[in-house]
Amino acid sequence: MQSSTEDKDARWRVIATDLRAAILDGRYPPGGALPSEPELVRTYDVSRPTVRKAIDTLVSEGLAYVMRGRGSFVRPMPERRAIIITDRDRPDLAAPGNHPDVQEFGWNLALRDHDPDAPLFTGDKITANRDIAAMLNVRPGHPVIHRRSMWHRGHTAVIHGASARLEINSYTNADMLPDWDDPKRHAQYRKRPAFFYQSLIREHGPVRWMTLTSARIAYEDERAALGMDYAEAVLLIRRTMAHPNGHPIEVTEVKAPANRYEIGYHRELADDAEADFTPQELSKSGIDLVI
C-alpha cells in the first residue's frame, strides 16, 4: 500500500513539474489555455483527482488560474511597480495630506465621490494587541494612535481588472502625543502632511530610523483589502522611528502584493544619491512609494 500511495504522489508531482516547466519556458503563454483535464488524464494515464491536484498546485504557486466550465489558464504576470527604501527625509505616509489622491486632486475633490464605507484614511485611538504591543515595546492594552491609509496605485499594473493597492498602517504610543484628542491639534495632525512627524521629533528627538522587510502568505482580510488572490504572498515593510537608544516612537507598516511590487534602495537607483526623487523620476521609473 505504501508504494501505491507514493506512486500516486509522484504522478501529480510529475504533471505539475512538466506544466510548470512549460509555463516558465513560454510554451504556454500568459493568458493561454493549459491542456484540459481529459487531455492530461489520457497523456499521463491518471485519474481526474490526480490531475486536479497538479493544477491546484500551479494555482497555489500563482502560475495558473481556473475558470469554471472553461478550463485552466496561465496567469498573466502583472507589471511590477517599485517601492523605494530611502535614507533621506522619511515621508509620513499615513498622513491624510500625503495621500496620492489628496496630493493630485486636492482635499475636497479627493473625498467628494469616495465610498464612505471604504475611507481613504482613518485615524483612531485603539488599545494595543499583542503584535502592536511588540512593535512599540508597550504592554497589550496600552493606548495607541492608529492611522490607516489605502492607496490605489499603478493603474497600468492590472491583473484581472484590479489595479495594485497598498495598505499603510501607522502605530504610535499615545503617550508620545498627549494632545491627539484636542480638536484643534487633531485637525492640524489631519490636514498638515508633516505636522504629525514634526511634533514627534520636536518632543522626542533626535530620532533614528530602522527599516525591515519580510513576506508571508496574506491573511483573508488582507487579500480582500489589497485585491489579492488565494495563497498570494504579501510584502511587509516596517519602518520604525525610534529614540537613539532604539526605543520605538512610531512604526509605519506598508503591506503590498508581492507579485506586483519589488523593493529597491534610493542610493542605488537615484541619479543623485544625495537628492530626493523628482515626480518625473518617480513616474518614469514606475515607483509608487518611497518609504
Side-chain angles (χ1 to χ4, degrees), residues 212-256:
L212 297 173
T213 62
S214 60
R216 57 167 168 74
I217 296 299
Y219 302 146
E220 183 176 355
D221 60 333
E222 293 168 337
R223 293 199 301 271
L226 296 173
M228 299 168 64
D229 288 340
Y230 177 74
E232 280 189 40
V234 60
L235 282 174
L236 300 172
I237 307 170
R238 185 176 293 175
R239 183 189 68 195
T240 301
M241 177 198 297
H243 291 287
N245 63 10
H247 190 83
I249 298 172
E250 184 266 355
V251 176
T252 292
E253 184 176 69
V254 175
K255 297 179 182 179

Side-chain angles (χ1 to χ4, degrees), residues 76-82 152-165 226-227 257 259-262 286 288:
M77 293 302 293
E79 175 191 340
R80 282 184 177 272
R81 309 287 293 179
H152 292 245
R153 305 296 288 156
H155 295 293
T156 58
V158 175
I159 181 169
H160 297 313
S163 61
R165 304 175 194 172
L226 296 173
N259 71 329
R260 303 177 208 179
Y261 281 97
E262 56 193 7
D288 281 349

Side-chain angles (χ1 to χ4, degrees), residues 247-283:
H247 190 83
I249 298 172
E250 184 266 355
V251 176
T252 292
E253 184 176 69
V254 175
K255 297 179 182 179
N259 71 329
R260 303 177 208 179
Y261 281 97
E262 56 193 7
I263 297 172
Y265 295 89
H266 177 274
R267 285 194 169 272
E268 297 175 356
L269 298 177
D271 292 335
D272 180 356
E274 301 303 322
D276 293 328
F277 281 101
T278 66
Q280 293 76 16
E281 286 178 316
L282 294 176
S283 176

Side-chain angles (χ1 to χ4, degrees), residues 1-259:
M1 289 293 292
Q2 185 176 1
S3 61
S4 175
T5 301
E6 290 175 352
D7 287 346
K8 288 182 180 179
D9 283 345
R11 280 182 247 172
W12 73 259
R13 291 181 191 278
V14 166
I15 299 169
T17 298
D18 289 351
L19 291 176
R20 184 187 301 111
I23 292 170
L24 297 177
D25 287 347
R27 282 174 275 165
Y28 297 118
L34 293 172
S36 67
E37 282 189 10
E39 287 180 80
L40 293 171
V41 166
R42 290 193 300 271
T43 300
Y44 290 93
D45 191 22
V46 294
S47 66
R48 279 182 178 260
T50 300
V51 167
R52 287 171 186 161
K53 189 170 183 180
I55 296 298
D56 287 345
T57 299
L58 298 179
V59 171
S60 70
E61 293 173 355
L63 293 173
Y65 65 98
V66 176
M67 296 185 69
R68 192 178 299 276
R70 293 187 57 188
S72 305
F73 300 84
V74 178
R75 178 178 295 280
M77 293 302 293
E79 175 191 340
R80 282 184 177 272
R81 309 287 293 179
I83 296 172
I84 300 300
I85 296 176
T86 184
D87 58 357
R88 295 188 49 75
D89 290 340
R90 277 77 171 184
D92 180 6
L93 300 173
N98 281 331
H99 192 284
D101 286 6
V102 174
Q103 291 276 313
E104 184 173 358
F105 304 114
W107 188 272
N108 293 331
L109 189 60
L111 299 181
R112 187 186 63 183
D113 299 321
H114 201 74
D115 182 358
D117 295 326
L120 295 177
F121 38 78
T122 56
D124 303 294
K125 188 177 284 188
I126 62 171
T127 55
N129 62 21
R130 182 189 63 182
D131 291 341
I132 297 171
M135 285 187 211
L136 294 174
N137 195 21
V138 298
R139 297 185 308 275
H142 189 86
V144 168
I145 297 168
H146 174 213
R147 298 176 302 146
R148 179 176 183 265
S149 189
M150 290 298 301
W151 293 19
H152 292 245
R153 305 296 288 156
H155 295 293
T156 58
V158 175
I159 181 169
H160 297 313
S163 61
R165 304 175 194 172
L166 297 165
E167 179 180 344
I168 298 162
N169 289 283
S170 166
Y171 304 100
T172 307
N173 183 341
D175 293 344
M176 301 290 180
L177 283 180
D179 59 359
W180 171 260
D181 295 322
D182 178 85
K184 290 184 179 179
R185 296 289 281 184
H186 189 272
Q188 291 179 308
Y189 288 132
R190 181 175 170 85
K191 284 291 186 79
R192 293 169 56 184
F195 191 64
F196 193 91
Y197 272 15
Q198 288 171 347
S199 299
L200 288 174
I201 294 171
R202 182 178 62 249
E203 296 298 324
H204 305 288
V207 300
R208 56 182 289 204
W209 301 88
M210 299 172 285
T211 304
L212 297 173
T213 62
S214 60
R216 57 167 168 74
I217 296 299
Y219 302 146
E220 183 176 355
D221 60 333
E222 293 168 337
R223 293 199 301 271
L226 296 173
M228 299 168 64
D229 288 340
Y230 177 74
E232 280 189 40
V234 60
L235 282 174
L236 300 172
I237 307 170
R238 185 176 293 175
R239 183 189 68 195
T240 301
M241 177 198 297
H243 291 287
N245 63 10
H247 190 83
I249 298 172
E250 184 266 355
V251 176
T252 292
E253 184 176 69
V254 175
K255 297 179 182 179
N259 71 329

